[in-house]
Amino acid sequence: MAPRPISWVNSPVLMLAIERYERGQLPRSMQLWLQALLDLEAPVKGPLRPNG
């Protein structure tokens, strides 16, 4: 089954996922989803949010 393209993302869910990603508390599948969504090349060591 081919992956479906993302058409929209709920902002509060995305912010929570980013916060958990920065703290290293996301499961691997969610880390990969967030990296793909934000078009990140590799795991980020610093904050993703400007004031995070």
Side-chain angles (χ1 to χ4, degrees):
M1 178 181 228
R4 296 183 314 168
I6 298 172
S7 58
W8 62 271
V9 178
N10 185 323
S11 296
V13 170
L14 179 59
M15 291 306 297
L16 181 59
I18 289 172
E19 289 172 15
R20 291 183 64 194
Y21 181 87
E22 291 174 337
R23 293 190 306 245
Q25 296 177 332
L26 274 184
R28 179 79 174 137
S29 61
M30 289 296 292
Q31 289 176 18
L32 295 174
W33 169 78
L34 191 60
Q35 289 170 359
L37 180 70
L38 299 179
D39 206 19
L40 302 174
E41 295 295 322
V44 178
K45 302 292 185 208
L48 295 174
R49 298 169 291 150
N51 295 326

